[in-house]
Amino acid sequence: MELVLAAARQRFASAARVASVVVACGVMLVSGSLVSGAASLKPPVITETFTPLPCHRSTTIGLEGCAEGQLLSTDRRINEQVKLLFGVIATAPQRRNFVAVENQWLAYRKADCSTVSDAFQGGSIAPVEYALCEVRDNDARSADLHSYFALLEEGSSASPSWP
């Protein structure tokens, strides 16, 4: 029994060391220690990997094409807003945090819409629901970005126009 407990303690200690290294790396990454200088930091851009289908409301494939068109339009809007905000944000640490949040939001959007489309798994409507979910998430994110812009520009007389 003593040997089993000793082995378990050793494995736990080893796992704790690995976990502390992972946490330390994450903290360094978030704080910018492992991120390249501010000069190379750029605003994130949403890019889709699909070839848009034609929009026809009479077929499921056509509905998917319509949803893809809406998605590409809202992606362009988000990209414009993110670019504008990135230019307004004052400091490199704030920009790094903004980029990190945008990347996390994109991961959230993917997970959220995967969950939604899973309700239709195996059905031809699943990709339509996935794309429409991304459009809804983009609309919500756009509103959040606009609120953030208003906060940053509060009281400023020389603020750029919101797209």
Side-chain angles (χ1 to χ4, degrees):
M1 185 66 166
E2 287 281 329
L3 290 174
V4 171
L5 286 174
R9 282 189 199 113
Q10 185 178 9
R11 272 182 276 175
F12 178 76
S14 177
R17 281 192 299 277
V18 169
S20 67
V21 168
V22 169
V23 169
C25 287
V27 168
M28 288 180 358
L29 181 60
V30 169
S31 70
S33 298
L34 297 178
V35 177
S36 58
S40 64
L41 191 62
K42 295 181 179 157
V45 176
I46 301 173
T47 56
E48 301 298 341
T49 58
F50 59 81
T51 301
L53 298 167
C55 176
H56 299 288
R57 301 208 181 275
S58 59
T59 66
T60 307
I61 297 260
L63 289 173
E64 185 176 349
C66 297
E68 289 171 347
Q70 290 177 311
L71 176 60
L72 292 171
S73 176
T74 59
D75 282 352
R76 278 190 297 276
R77 184 180 71 221
I78 294 271
N79 287 338
E80 287 175 30
Q81 293 170 344
V82 165
K83 183 179 178 183
L84 175 68
L85 275 165
F86 190 81
V88 170
I89 295 171
T91 68
Q94 289 170 332
R95 284 181 174 183
R96 277 192 299 273
N97 287 339
F98 179 70
V99 168
V101 166
E102 283 306 298
N103 289 330
Q104 291 167 357
W105 174 77
L106 282 170
Y108 162 80
R109 184 183 83 164
K110 182 177 181 178
D112 181 43
C113 295
S114 290
T115 301
V116 167
S117 69
D118 282 350
F120 304 94
Q121 186 175 11
S124 61
I125 201 74
V128 177
E129 290 299 325
Y130 185 92
L132 290 174
C133 174
E134 287 186 316
V135 169
R136 287 189 302 272
D137 282 355
N138 278 1
D139 287 340
R141 184 64 184 154
S142 180
D144 290 343
L145 292 171
H146 189 219
S147 295
Y148 182 50
F149 175 77
L151 180 69
L152 289 174
E153 293 301 300
E154 193 171 283
S156 175
S157 60
S159 59
S161 299
W162 184 248

